[in-house]
Amino acid sequence: MRPMQAFVETACRFACEVSVWVVDKQPVNGKSMWGLLGLGAEQGMKIVIETTGDGATEALKALAEIVERAYDKEPEPRA
Amino acid sequence: MELKRGIPVSPGVAIATALVVETEGVRIQRRTVDKSLVATEIDHLRIALTKASADARENQNAISAKLGKQYGAIFAAHALLIDDPELVREIEQMIAQKNYSAEYAVSLVMRRHAKALESMNQPIFSTRSSDILDIEKSILKHLVGEQGDPLQNLQEPVVILAHDLTPSQTANLNPKMVYAFATEAGGKASHTAIMAGVLEIPAVVGLGRFLTQVSGGDEVIVDGNRGIVIVNPDPETRERYLVLQKQSVSFARRLDELRDLPAATKDGTRTLLMGNIEFPQEGPHCTDRGADGVGLYRTEFLYLNKTSEPDENEQYEAYLAVLRAMGPGKPVVIRTMDLGADKLFQVGDNHPHEKNPSLGVRSIRLCLRNLAMFKTQLRAILRASPFGDVRIMFPMVSTLMELRQCKMILADVKEELEEEGYAYNRKLPVGTMIEVPSAALMAEEMAKEVNFFSIGTNDLIQYTLAADRTNENVASLYNAGDPAVVRLIDRVIQAAFKHSIEVCVCGEMSGDPIYTMLLLGLGLRQLSMTPQNIPEIKKIIRSITIEEAKQVAQEAKRFETARDVNNYLREQTRRILPEVVVN
């Protein structure tokens, strides 16, 4: 749950709107733990983060960093 | 008498009156309010949410101070979920559009989320429905008032029986009054189970439906060592457990008597008694009982309940915490990750379904297929190695090739650290668990490859007798006293002697008093067990001579059935130390 917690806490620090998309689902509010939990996003899944409004660029950078840091280690291909 | 088997998550035994706690959700009546009152209802909701969120933060601080920051973090997440703008919007909408009362709207919305998470069928989330229940209750408390928390202000000792306990209920239990708890739901990895271990309250979870067979006031035994719950025990069982409980109650006294005395036999043969631990917070459980070290530090907790792999520094910190607690010079044997693929975030979902997980891709097999993850753990262990007597141990090795592969990867990681300029113990002792019969049979060859063996009797018994002890239909086959098991252990010890390497037993067998003489007699001088068992085993060791133990082992090896072996060992244990309770 921890990376998600960090994601929401960071998103809430910015004034802009944050939405998160995955394939085949409605976008959810990136400032909402419930929303993100409901996405069922897991490692290896592609997600799109969209920010609009005040501080959108900075927010996007910070959020992308959290996602990358949490999931940067790709699972090794199985022999 | 009614006996139920579940999952033992916190050791110890207790016998007391049952307190049955209704926790299957707070029952809220469907209620609507007049349109003119919608605004007031929404105000009530907002105040309740603010208060509930403040409670969660307070819980976070209290639990952080009491048990450690990472347990407090569970409640930080609760606060975040309560403050959630989407949640507020959703509940308000329900009040405004359907004129539902605030409490009914809250309970509807929470139920919907709990259901959605459960249906996701991801192990990471499925243990979390108790967290949602926790949140729901904390909000409702401020809307409809406290429904009289039966767990607080207990006047007499009880055993708590519930469908499930929420993490905050568990964290706030008073160990002086709550002798134990048992729940229908839950698993080894749930927050509730973790808290029970840290608080040292005996607990059994995952019992399945049984509350309908119990009423408050029934006498109940919870055996957290074996995962057994007995309702209305017969006189004989009751007597047996009363003695066991008395021992754990008078434990503080015995502990003081024995703590600083060495675990040496009457003739002065020194043995090492070490603790098996799972969480860094359990280091003090070992030192409190005068343990000579940590013989088994399970590292699975780092990987459970996680959405991603634990990073190197997080692991490094967890290892250092135990080294600090144990102090310099006390060995700490760190076992690499020993989980099944189904329990793991990363590979869990794209892992093909296994018909027979205990014979499938798990433990070292999983690590050898996920090298990046494995190397991260090895790096963290190596980096912690200069700060104490760290040793590394590989679990579930079944062939020599696997063991060689592990050592090769370890050598690679050492080289990496060397290049990066990290300090590590170049002579880090490397050991392997012997818990698969094939490894026990190849012990001679295995011994040439490592510095020590640790015999994991739990799995060794299961694999040798092909019996799962949680399956009550075959549980009687699972027996540490079975001659086949005794012979395998004997063989492993002989192989270790021949190649002058250390050997230890770290399964539950080592904490069971009836096997102490046998194990010592077979030649073992190191035992690692649940820290709570150390004083009792020490007492036995201090009451015998090595010669006596050898004779007992010689005799025990002659029997042909588990029953004869156990009867003989029980008799001998009673002879040596009548006050020890043997099962």
Side-chain angles (χ1 to χ4, degrees):
Chain A
M1 218 182 249
R2 249 185 254 170
M4 209 180 280
Q5 214 167 317
F7 188 97
V8 172
E9 275 165 348
T10 308
C12 289
R13 278 210 300 274
F14 293 95
C16 61
E17 278 181 26
V18 178
S19 33
V20 180
W21 308 61
V22 300
V23 181
D24 291 339
K25 287 213 180 163
Q26 291 284 325
V28 301
N29 183 348
K31 297 182 178 181
S32 163
M33 280 270 265
W34 294 105
L36 293 175
L37 278 172
L39 272 186
E42 54 198 80
Q43 177 144 29
M45 205 183 248
K46 276 213 171 65
I47 64 167
V48 177
I49 306 168
E50 185 183 312
T51 55
T52 37
D54 272 1
T57 322
E58 293 80 5
L60 189 61
K61 220 177 119 204
L63 293 170
E65 213 169 275
I66 287 173
V67 176
E68 272 162 22
R69 212 182 315 136
Y71 300 111
D72 61 350
K73 293 176 196 86
E74 284 296 312
E76 198 81 357
R78 219 170 291 131
Chain B
M1 181 164 108
E2 196 79 47
L3 190 145
K4 294 287 294 179
R5 281 175 201 279
I7 306 161
V9 291
S10 180
V13 298
I15 175 163
T17 315
L19 173 67
V20 182
V21 183
E22 170 70 56
T23 47
E24 290 208 52
V26 191
R27 308 230 180 280
I28 292 295
Q29 296 283 326
R30 177 185 170 134
R31 189 168 71 89
T32 50
V33 295
D34 192 80
K35 257 198 171 53
S36 64
L37 288 174
V38 162
T40 331
E41 208 60 24
I42 288 179
D43 279 345
H44 284 164
L45 172 73
R46 289 193 180 156
I47 294 167
L49 288 173
T50 313
K51 284 184 177 160
S53 153
D55 288 350
R57 293 281 176 202
E58 204 174 291
N59 241 335
Q60 178 196 353
N61 294 332
I63 303 301
S64 295
K66 193 161 139 198
L67 303 177
K69 241 170 49 195
Q70 67 271 49
Y71 302 105
I74 297 168
F75 299 100
H78 286 192
L80 215 50
L81 286 164
I82 296 169
D83 291 334
D84 199 302
E86 290 298 312
L87 183 75
V88 184
R89 200 183 46 79
E90 221 178 326
I91 304 173
E92 283 185 4
Q93 218 170 32
M94 214 165 253
I95 300 172
Q97 289 173 358
K98 305 210 163 153
N99 299 353
Y100 285 148
S101 69
E103 72 269 14
Y104 186 58
V106 167
S107 112
L108 272 184
V109 168
M110 300 306 272
R111 217 42 62 79
R112 186 197 288 165
H113 281 296
K115 233 179 165 171
L117 285 189
E118 269 166 27
S119 70
M120 258 179 227
N121 205 12
Q122 295 177 38
I124 303 164
F125 293 137
S126 57
T127 56
R128 292 294 183 261
S129 47
S130 65
D131 289 80
I132 295 188
L133 185 60
D134 220 357
I135 293 165
E136 176 181 0
K137 287 179 82 170
S138 71
I139 302 172
L140 289 174
K141 190 172 96 183
H142 295 291
L143 280 173
V144 293
E146 188 113 37
Q147 303 199 315
D149 187 348
L151 299 181
Q152 298 306 316
N153 305 319
L154 293 168
Q155 297 304 318
E156 56 179 55
V158 291
V159 163
I160 290 175
L161 305 178
H163 173 68
D164 201 1
L165 289 176
T166 64
S168 66
Q169 279 175 323
T170 313
N172 290 307
L173 290 179
N174 173 5
K176 287 210 175 68
M177 284 301 167
V178 179
Y179 278 12
F181 72 80
T183 62
E184 292 183 330
K188 245 193 155 60
S190 66
H191 283 149
T192 304
I194 291 169
M195 297 274 182
V198 177
L199 287 167
E200 299 196 46
I201 297 177
V204 178
V205 304
L207 285 151
R209 295 275 156 197
F210 78 104
L211 287 180
T212 46
Q213 303 156 30
V214 198
S215 10
D218 282 354
E219 192 169 47
V220 174
I221 294 170
V222 174
D223 183 340
N225 303 325
R226 296 191 181 78
I228 294 172
V229 172
I230 302 166
V231 182
N232 293 324
D234 61 33
E236 195 191 323
T237 312
R238 185 169 183 276
E239 197 50 42
R240 206 154 42 116
Y241 275 98
L242 270 178
V243 181
L244 269 178
Q245 171 168 273
K246 209 155 103 203
Q247 284 188 341
S248 48
V249 171
S250 68
F251 181 63
R253 237 178 309 138
R254 294 196 300 138
L255 186 141
D256 280 343
E257 281 168 26
L258 286 173
R259 183 170 53 204
D260 301 320
L261 297 174
T265 56
K266 283 203 288 198
D267 56 313
T269 305
R270 182 75 163 93
T271 61
L272 294 182
L273 297 186
M274 298 184 283
N276 294 347
I277 65 167
E278 191 147 7
F279 304 104
Q281 287 72 19
E282 290 173 311
H285 295 186
C286 296
T287 47
D288 285 352
R289 292 167 177 89
D292 296 303
V294 171
L296 170 61
Y297 181 6
R298 304 182 174 99
T299 55
E300 289 72 65
F301 79 98
L302 290 163
Y303 298 82
L304 289 167
N305 295 328
K306 292 286 168 64
T307 48
S308 63
E309 182 194 325
D311 69 31
E312 186 179 317
N313 280 329
E314 183 184 348
Q315 299 193 38
Y316 171 70
E317 285 299 331
Y319 304 148
L320 282 190
V322 172
L323 294 175
R324 271 188 221 113
M326 295 311 294
K330 294 260 174 88
V332 173
V333 181
I334 303 177
R335 180 179 71 184
T336 60
M337 196 275 287
D338 185 33
L339 282 178
D342 52 330
K343 299 275 175 9
L344 219 60
F345 40 87
Q346 253 189 355
V347 280
D349 288 329
N350 29 33
H351 183 75
H353 173 74
E354 292 186 317
K355 266 192 194 154
N356 205 340
S358 60
L359 302 180
V361 181
R362 48 174 293 225
S363 189
I364 202 67
R365 302 171 181 179
L366 187 60
C367 288
L368 290 174
R369 282 170 176 75
N370 291 275
L371 287 186
M373 180 186 80
F374 191 36
K375 281 186 169 175
T376 303
Q377 181 166 36
L378 297 181
R379 281 178 66 100
I381 296 172
L382 280 166
R383 280 179 52 201
S385 66
F387 300 98
D389 185 356
V390 175
R391 305 172 186 194
I392 188 171
M393 174 162 86
F394 302 116
M396 219 206 165
V397 169
S398 45
T399 68
L400 210 52
M401 281 305 289
E402 276 174 333
L403 185 55
R404 288 184 182 148
Q405 248 179 306
C406 291
K407 287 175 62 190
M408 236 162 60
I409 294 160
L410 184 67
D412 280 356
V413 173
K414 282 184 178 173
E415 207 168 297
E416 266 174 45
L417 289 178
E418 191 89 35
E419 278 165 21
E420 293 169 39
Y422 279 112
Y424 65 89
N425 176 8
R426 278 160 215 274
K427 295 204 170 121
L428 177 83
V430 177
T432 180
M433 294 213 37
I434 303 285
E435 52 184 341
V436 181
S438 60
L441 292 168
M442 295 294 285
E444 287 246 352
E445 288 74 13
M446 296 261 178
K448 293 180 199 155
E449 303 275 338
V450 291
N451 305 104
F452 66 93
F453 280 160
S454 190
I455 307 174
T457 46
N458 297 8
D459 271 347
L460 186 63
I461 300 167
Q462 146 160 318
Y463 290 131
T464 301
L465 291 151
D468 172 2
R469 66 174 162 168
T470 62
N471 177 345
E472 52 192 300
N473 298 317
V474 297
S476 61
L477 291 172
Y478 178 101
N479 199 317
D482 196 284
V485 176
V486 176
R487 284 179 200 184
L488 282 177
I489 293 175
D490 190 24
R491 186 186 179 102
V492 174
I493 297 171
Q494 292 313 316
F497 283 172
K498 191 166 166 192
H499 295 278
S500 312
I501 66 167
E502 291 182 34
V503 54
C504 174
V505 167
C506 68
E508 274 162 48
M509 187 180 186
S510 58
D512 189 336
I514 79 165
Y515 298 115
T516 310
M517 281 193 277
L518 170 69
L519 294 175
L520 252 61
L522 290 175
L524 277 163
R525 297 292 176 266
Q526 291 184 23
L527 299 173
S528 190
M529 63 201 76
T530 308
Q532 285 79 353
N533 292 334
I534 290 177
E536 192 168 45
I537 301 299
K538 195 189 262 187
K539 206 162 180 177
I540 292 186
I541 291 177
R542 292 181 57 84
S543 316
I544 57 170
T545 64
I546 279 296
E547 207 42 54
E548 272 177 302
K550 278 186 184 155
Q551 275 167 21
V552 166
Q554 274 311 321
E555 191 64 23
K557 280 204 283 189
R558 291 180 33 217
F559 294 107
E560 293 175 352
T561 66
R563 208 170 85 183
D564 290 343
V565 173
N566 287 333
N567 283 341
Y568 171 73
L569 292 177
R570 241 179 243 126
E571 197 181 294
Q572 292 302 312
T573 312
R574 279 204 200 101
R575 184 176 60 80
I576 297 288
L577 208 61
E579 66 263 39
V580 163
V581 177
V582 293
N583 284 293

